C-alpha cells in the first residue's frame, strides 16, 4: 500500500485549523508519518509603516510569531495528545511559502482546510487554487468541518480513447495508477467505500448523427459509439487488473471498488457522481502538461474543482515542475 512519509499540515485559516489537525494526525497515525504543522502570517500594514522603527517591527513580529506557535502547539496537544508537534511559523504569501517548504523538505502530502467556509459560490478560494495548481506533491484540500474519517471516496481516472496531444498515453496511465494508489491509501485503514469513475465520449458523435454534411447511417454511428464504449470499458477493467497487481487480489476484494463508466464530459459527470453517491473525498489528477513550469492544470480539472462541494485530494503526475522556485 502507498504510504505518506512526511506530511505538512497547514493550520490556516485559523478558524478551521481543527479540521486540518484532526485529519493530518489521523493520516500520520495510519501511515506512521512524520508531521509538521505550519502557519504563514501576512505582514500587517503597521509593520510596513515608516513611523514604526525597524526594532519595534522586529520585536512586534517576533512576538506575534511566538504567540501563534504557542497557540498551535496547545491546540495540537488538545486534539492529538500523542503527537510531539513540530511547528513552523513563517511570513509571506501563504501558497508560495508552503510550496517552498515542500520543495526544501521533500514532503509527500500537504493537508489544508479550504478557505471558503460558507460554500455559497465554490469550495476553493484563490490561495487554495494556487496551491493545488502549483504544489508538486499531492494536496488534500479539506471541506471545513470534515473532522470524521471519509466514508465514500471517488477515484477519478481517464480511460477515454481520445488522448490529449499535450499529454501522451503513458503519462495519463501513470497518473491513473497514482490516483488509484492514493485512493486505496485512504480507503484501507477504515474500510472506506471506494468508487472508481471515468467519463467517456465518442469523438464527433453529434456531427455523425446530426451534422448537415454527415452521411453516416445511424446503425454505423451506433456501432462506432458502442465500439468506443467497449474500448473504454476494457481499459477500465485493465486498470483494475493493474490495481490488483499493485495491491494484491485480497486487498482489492477487501475494498470491492464500485466502477462507474459514464458517458459525458468529465466536467459534468464527476460533480454529478459526487452528489449522486454522497462522496466526501474526490481523488483526481490535475495536470494538463508536465515538465514545463506554468502548464500546471487542465481546464477540465479546474472546472471540476470549482463545482464540487466535498474534500479533494489533487495529484500531479511524475515529471511535474512547479513554477515556484
Amino acid at each position: 500500500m502507498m504510504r505518506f512519509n512526511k506530511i505538512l499540515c497547514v493550520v490556516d485559516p485559523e478558524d478551521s485549523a481543527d479540521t486540518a489537525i484532526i485529519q493530518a494526525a489521523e493520516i500520520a497515525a495510519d501511515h506512521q508519518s512524520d508531521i509538521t504543522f505550519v502557519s504563514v502570517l501576512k505582514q500587517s500594514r503597521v509593520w510596513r509603516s515608516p513611523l514604526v522603527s525597524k526594532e519595534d517591527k522586529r520585536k512586534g513580529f517576533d512576538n506575534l510569531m511566538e504567540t501563534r506557535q504557542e497557540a498551535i502547539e496547545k491546540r495540537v496537544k488538545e486534539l492529538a495528545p500523542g503527537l510531539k508537534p513540530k511547528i513552523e511559523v513563517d511570513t509571506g504569501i501563504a501558497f508560495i511559502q508552503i510550496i517552498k517548504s515542500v520543495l526544501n523538505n521533500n514532503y509527500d502530502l500537504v493537508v489544508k482546510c479550504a478557505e471558503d467556509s460558507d460554500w455559497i459560490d465554490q469550495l476553493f478560494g484563490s490561495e487554495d487554487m494556487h496551491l493545488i495548481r502549483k504544489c508538486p506533491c499531492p494536496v488534500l484540500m479539506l471541506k471545513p468541518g470534515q473532522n470524521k474519517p471519509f466514508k465514500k471516496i471517488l477515484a477519478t481516472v481517464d480511460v477515454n480513447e481520445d488522448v490529449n496531444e499535450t499529454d501522451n498515453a503513458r503519462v495519463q496511465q501513470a497518473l491513473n495508477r497514482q490516483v488509484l494508489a492514493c485512493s486505496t491509501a485512504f480507503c484501507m485503514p477504515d474500510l472506506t467505500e471506494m468508487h472508481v469513475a471515468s467519463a467517456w465520449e465518442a469523438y464527433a458523435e453529434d456531427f455523425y448523427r446530426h451534422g448537415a454534411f454527415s452521411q453516416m447511417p445511424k446503425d454505423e454511428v451506433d456501432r462506432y459509439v458502442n465500439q468506443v464504449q467497449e474500448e473504454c470499458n476494457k481499459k477500465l477493467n485493465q486498470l483494475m487488473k493493474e490495481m490488483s497487481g499493485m495491491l494484491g487480489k485480497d486487498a482489492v476484494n477487501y475494498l470491492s471498488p464500485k466502477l462507474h463508466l459514464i458517458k459525458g464530459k468529465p466536467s459534468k459527470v464527476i460533480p454529478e457522481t459526487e452528489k449522486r453517491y454522497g462522496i466526501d473525498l474526490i481523488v483526481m489528477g490535475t495536470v494538463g502538461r508536465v515538465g514545463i513550469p506554468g502548464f500546471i492544470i487542465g481546464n477540465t480539472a479546474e472546472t471540476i474543482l470549482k463545482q464540487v462541494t466535498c474534500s479533494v485530494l489533487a495529484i500531479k503526475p511524475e515529471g511535474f515542475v512547479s513554477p515556484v522556485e
Side-chain angles (χ1 to χ4, degrees), residues 233-244:
N233 191 53
K234 285 181 180 178
K235 289 181 180 179
L236 183 58
N237 288 328
Q238 179 59 38
L239 189 59
M240 300 313 295
K241 287 181 181 179
E242 292 179 15
M243 179 178 167
S244 294

PDB file of all heavy atoms in Angstrom, residues 233-244:
ATOM      1  N   ASN A 233     -14.355   0.563 -21.655  1.00  0.00           N
ATOM      2  CA  ASN A 233     -14.649  -0.413 -20.612  1.00  0.00           C
ATOM      3  C   ASN A 233     -13.492  -1.395 -20.443  1.00  0.00           C
ATOM      4  O   ASN A 233     -13.113  -1.752 -19.309  1.00  0.00           O
ATOM      5  CB  ASN A 233     -15.931  -1.166 -20.963  1.00  0.00           C
ATOM      6  CG  ASN A 233     -16.449  -2.005 -19.810  1.00  0.00           C
ATOM      7  OD1 ASN A 233     -16.638  -1.504 -18.700  1.00  0.00           O
ATOM      8  ND2 ASN A 233     -16.665  -3.283 -20.066  1.00  0.00           N
ATOM      9  N   LYS A 234     -12.885  -1.811 -21.559  1.00  0.00           N
ATOM     10  CA  LYS A 234     -11.727  -2.707 -21.494  1.00  0.00           C
ATOM     11  C   LYS A 234     -10.571  -2.030 -20.760  1.00  0.00           C
ATOM     12  O   LYS A 234      -9.887  -2.647 -19.941  1.00  0.00           O
ATOM     13  CB  LYS A 234     -11.293  -3.107 -22.900  1.00  0.00           C
ATOM     14  CG  LYS A 234     -12.190  -4.126 -23.584  1.00  0.00           C
ATOM     15  CD  LYS A 234     -11.658  -4.460 -24.963  1.00  0.00           C
ATOM     16  CE  LYS A 234     -12.551  -5.477 -25.669  1.00  0.00           C
ATOM     17  NZ  LYS A 234     -12.064  -5.781 -27.045  1.00  0.00           N
ATOM     18  N   LYS A 235     -10.345  -0.762 -21.065  1.00  0.00           N
ATOM     19  CA  LYS A 235      -9.243  -0.028 -20.421  1.00  0.00           C
ATOM     20  C   LYS A 235      -9.477   0.126 -18.932  1.00  0.00           C
ATOM     21  O   LYS A 235      -8.545   0.027 -18.132  1.00  0.00           O
ATOM     22  CB  LYS A 235      -9.064   1.341 -21.085  1.00  0.00           C
ATOM     23  CG  LYS A 235      -8.491   1.278 -22.481  1.00  0.00           C
ATOM     24  CD  LYS A 235      -8.319   2.672 -23.060  1.00  0.00           C
ATOM     25  CE  LYS A 235      -7.740   2.624 -24.467  1.00  0.00           C
ATOM     26  NZ  LYS A 235      -7.582   3.977 -25.043  1.00  0.00           N
ATOM     27  N   LEU A 236     -10.732   0.360 -18.551  1.00  0.00           N
ATOM     28  CA  LEU A 236     -11.048   0.490 -17.137  1.00  0.00           C
ATOM     29  C   LEU A 236     -10.820  -0.835 -16.417  1.00  0.00           C
ATOM     30  O   LEU A 236     -10.245  -0.881 -15.320  1.00  0.00           O
ATOM     31  CB  LEU A 236     -12.490   0.963 -16.952  1.00  0.00           C
ATOM     32  CG  LEU A 236     -12.949   1.203 -15.514  1.00  0.00           C
ATOM     33  CD1 LEU A 236     -12.066   2.236 -14.812  1.00  0.00           C
ATOM     34  CD2 LEU A 236     -14.418   1.653 -15.480  1.00  0.00           C
ATOM     35  N   ASN A 237     -11.257  -1.933 -17.034  1.00  0.00           N
ATOM     36  CA  ASN A 237     -11.051  -3.249 -16.423  1.00  0.00           C
ATOM     37  C   ASN A 237      -9.570  -3.597 -16.354  1.00  0.00           C
ATOM     38  O   ASN A 237      -9.112  -4.204 -15.376  1.00  0.00           O
ATOM     39  CB  ASN A 237     -11.817  -4.313 -17.213  1.00  0.00           C
ATOM     40  CG  ASN A 237     -13.323  -4.225 -17.005  1.00  0.00           C
ATOM     41  OD1 ASN A 237     -13.778  -3.838 -15.933  1.00  0.00           O
ATOM     42  ND2 ASN A 237     -14.090  -4.563 -18.027  1.00  0.00           N
ATOM     43  N   GLN A 238      -8.810  -3.210 -17.391  1.00  0.00           N
ATOM     44  CA  GLN A 238      -7.382  -3.449 -17.373  1.00  0.00           C
ATOM     45  C   GLN A 238      -6.715  -2.668 -16.248  1.00  0.00           C
ATOM     46  O   GLN A 238      -5.811  -3.163 -15.570  1.00  0.00           O
ATOM     47  CB  GLN A 238      -6.768  -3.054 -18.722  1.00  0.00           C
ATOM     48  CG  GLN A 238      -5.258  -3.236 -18.817  1.00  0.00           C
ATOM     49  CD  GLN A 238      -4.813  -4.661 -18.588  1.00  0.00           C
ATOM     50  OE1 GLN A 238      -5.480  -5.609 -19.022  1.00  0.00           O
ATOM     51  NE2 GLN A 238      -3.686  -4.834 -17.911  1.00  0.00           N
ATOM     52  N   LEU A 239      -7.189  -1.443 -16.033  1.00  0.00           N
ATOM     53  CA  LEU A 239      -6.654  -0.620 -14.956  1.00  0.00           C
ATOM     54  C   LEU A 239      -6.917  -1.267 -13.599  1.00  0.00           C
ATOM     55  O   LEU A 239      -6.060  -1.242 -12.702  1.00  0.00           O
ATOM     56  CB  LEU A 239      -7.269   0.776 -15.022  1.00  0.00           C
ATOM     57  CG  LEU A 239      -6.680   1.854 -14.118  1.00  0.00           C
ATOM     58  CD1 LEU A 239      -5.196   2.062 -14.412  1.00  0.00           C
ATOM     59  CD2 LEU A 239      -7.434   3.170 -14.312  1.00  0.00           C
ATOM     60  N   MET A 240      -8.081  -1.862 -13.455  1.00  0.00           N
ATOM     61  CA  MET A 240      -8.399  -2.530 -12.192  1.00  0.00           C
ATOM     62  C   MET A 240      -7.551  -3.795 -12.002  1.00  0.00           C
ATOM     63  O   MET A 240      -7.186  -4.150 -10.880  1.00  0.00           O
ATOM     64  CB  MET A 240      -9.888  -2.876 -12.142  1.00  0.00           C
ATOM     65  CG  MET A 240     -10.811  -1.672 -12.249  1.00  0.00           C
ATOM     66  SD  MET A 240     -10.337  -0.295 -11.154  1.00  0.00           S
ATOM     67  CE  MET A 240     -10.587  -1.042  -9.552  1.00  0.00           C
ATOM     68  N   LYS A 241      -7.202  -4.469 -13.116  1.00  0.00           N
ATOM     69  CA  LYS A 241      -6.286  -5.610 -13.020  1.00  0.00           C
ATOM     70  C   LYS A 241      -4.909  -5.147 -12.550  1.00  0.00           C
ATOM     71  O   LYS A 241      -4.254  -5.809 -11.748  1.00  0.00           O
ATOM     72  CB  LYS A 241      -6.181  -6.315 -14.369  1.00  0.00           C
ATOM     73  CG  LYS A 241      -7.410  -7.118 -14.760  1.00  0.00           C
ATOM     74  CD  LYS A 241      -7.204  -7.810 -16.100  1.00  0.00           C
ATOM     75  CE  LYS A 241      -8.445  -8.605 -16.502  1.00  0.00           C
ATOM     76  NZ  LYS A 241      -8.277  -9.267 -17.826  1.00  0.00           N
ATOM     77  N   GLU A 242      -4.470  -3.997 -13.083  1.00  0.00           N
ATOM     78  CA  GLU A 242      -3.193  -3.440 -12.648  1.00  0.00           C
ATOM     79  C   GLU A 242      -3.252  -3.074 -11.165  1.00  0.00           C
ATOM     80  O   GLU A 242      -2.272  -3.236 -10.440  1.00  0.00           O
ATOM     81  CB  GLU A 242      -2.849  -2.209 -13.483  1.00  0.00           C
ATOM     82  CG  GLU A 242      -2.542  -2.512 -14.939  1.00  0.00           C
ATOM     83  CD  GLU A 242      -2.231  -1.270 -15.736  1.00  0.00           C
ATOM     84  OE1 GLU A 242      -1.968  -0.212 -15.123  1.00  0.00           O
ATOM     85  OE2 GLU A 242      -2.265  -1.344 -16.974  1.00  0.00           O
ATOM     86  N   MET A 243      -4.401  -2.586 -10.731  1.00  0.00           N
ATOM     87  CA  MET A 243      -4.579  -2.264  -9.316  1.00  0.00           C
ATOM     88  C   MET A 243      -4.441  -3.528  -8.470  1.00  0.00           C
ATOM     89  O   MET A 243      -3.816  -3.508  -7.394  1.00  0.00           O
ATOM     90  CB  MET A 243      -5.957  -1.625  -9.119  1.00  0.00           C
ATOM     91  CG  MET A 243      -6.287  -1.248  -7.689  1.00  0.00           C
ATOM     92  SD  MET A 243      -7.913  -0.457  -7.592  1.00  0.00           S
ATOM     93  CE  MET A 243      -8.181  -0.489  -5.818  1.00  0.00           C
ATOM     94  N   SER A 244      -4.994  -4.645  -8.948  1.00  0.00           N
ATOM     95  CA  SER A 244      -4.854  -5.912  -8.228  1.00  0.00           C
ATOM     96  C   SER A 244      -3.399  -6.333  -8.163  1.00  0.00           C
ATOM     97  O   SER A 244      -2.937  -6.869  -7.148  1.00  0.00           O
ATOM     98  CB  SER A 244      -5.679  -7.002  -8.921  1.00  0.00           C
ATOM     99  OG  SER A 244      -7.059  -6.733  -8.830  1.00  0.00           O
TER     100      SER A 244
END
